[in-house]
Amino acid sequence: MIRACTVDELPPGESVRLPGPPAIAVFNAGGQLYAIGDTCTHQDASLADGWLEGCFVECPLHAALFDLRTGMPTCLPAKDPVPTYTVRVDDGVVYVRGVAGEDAA
Ligand code: FES
């Protein structure tokens, strides 16, 4: 598990970027937390800098839309999914799981 931030540091509508590698973007979409790969699969934009729209994030560079639940792009120009990671909250701290080499913790 990787410590991302405290719950207070990630209010609804906000995101945090974990530099990695791999870089991970953690979002609070209306109170639900999601973690996906931060790097857009079209080019190298940071999705943590994108715009939240419900359970989707719009890439800040060319506006591809990714589903935070699955990592799948829902429109061009991105064609490939970004990875998704499990988010856990424990005692007011947000953790991300699923990064290679970090699962055993
Ligand atoms: S870099 Fe994300 S859509 Fe182009």
Side-chain angles (χ1 to χ4, degrees):
M1 301 290 280
I2 297 174
R3 184 189 189 281
C5 60
T6 66
V7 170
D8 291 343
E9 292 169 331
L10 189 59
E14 296 296 325
S15 64
V16 296
R17 180 180 186 275
L18 309 181
I24 296 172
V26 187
F27 297 91
N28 184 335
Q32 184 68 45
L33 303 182
Y34 299 96
I36 63 173
D38 181 57
T39 306
C40 180
T41 54
H42 177 233
Q43 289 180 0
D44 286 336
S46 169
L47 294 176
D49 292 336
W51 293 275
L52 272 175
E53 299 178 9
C55 290
F56 300 87
V57 61
E58 182 181 310
C59 177
L61 204 51
H62 307 113
L65 206 59
F66 290 88
D67 189 324
L68 297 174
R69 299 162 293 187
T70 64
M72 294 297 295
T74 61
C75 65
L76 296 173
K79 297 177 183 172
D80 297 317
V82 292
T84 59
Y85 304 97
T86 301
V87 180
R88 196 178 91 194
V89 176
D90 186 13
D91 200 21
V93 178
V94 179
Y95 295 93
V96 175
R97 175 195 293 255
V99 180
E102 296 288 345
D103 279 347

